[in-house]
Amino acid sequence: MPQRVLVTGPDGFVGSHLRAELGEAFVPFEGDVLDSVALARTVRETQPEAIVHLAALSSVGESWGEVTEVWRTNVLGTVNVIEAVRIEAPSARVLFVSSGDVYGRAQRIPTTEEAPVEPISPYGASKAAAELACRQAASEELDVVVARSFPHIGPGQDERFAVGSWAAQLARLRNEGGGVLSVGDLDVERDLTDVRDVCCAYRLLLDPAAPNGTYNVASGQGVPLRQVVELLVELAAVPVTVEQEQMRLRRADLRVLVGDASKLRAATGWRPEISLERSLEDTLEAAARREVVGP
């Protein structure tokens, strides 16, 4: 593994877990990726052997209401990272974290990397555009890896995301002796991987032995969100009424989102190891701790 890995978005949900995965190799970029001067200066001063670009506006649901900012941050921020590397550390490997949302309504499930890129949300479209910038950089011989990560969950996920929201609500309902759990559309199916397994995949993709290119990061198994809610309610062990809330429904949604990570497994040997049940239990317990100590 590289000895110095510069990470954008180091304090977010994934960043905090990647810090634990990379240990002393983790070098945080605390600035704004839209500040190209600060970004280039940090790359020049730290001379990382690899860069993991996590910083993004990452909520699919919220992307409909902040389209301009999503495109600015997710596309221009990625271009700034690439240009900083091109000028200041051209031998460094860049790991760009994209999303399985770029596939849109894929015809083949589980979906492989060869599927057409046809996003339906501003978030997915911005990630697809950032991938084009990465592809162009790779054509000029920069070492770029694209990780198309499917939904991931785990301790510390915030309430903008479905599982993070349900865990936080259930932690509060535990204290109140039960109540109403507000949800969105539970009739969709998602490929859910624990964030700690995802960070392990990122570490493996930083190894120069892994060929550059595009890789799905996914479990390969779809889970109905209704089943996820049932498991969380069982873990919370309080009487709960599940109610759909209109504001939690997305303007457009994918009915099924499941990825095929065979290419990643062949290149690195990676497999997810943390079960859905353990991931949900850890997420709920982390939410309960936050409820006790406050944000």
Side-chain angles (χ1 to χ4, degrees), residues 243-262:
E243 292 185 0
Q244 188 178 81
E245 190 175 35
Q246 188 66 30
M247 65 174 291
R248 293 178 181 270
L249 300 178
R250 290 180 180 174
R251 181 167 154 187
D253 209 350
L254 301 171
R255 307 314 299 169
V256 180
L257 184 61
V258 180
D260 183 333
S262 298

Side-chain angles (χ1 to χ4, degrees), residues 34 66 249 264 270:
L34 294 177
E66 49 188 22
L249 300 178
L264 173 62
W270 177 84

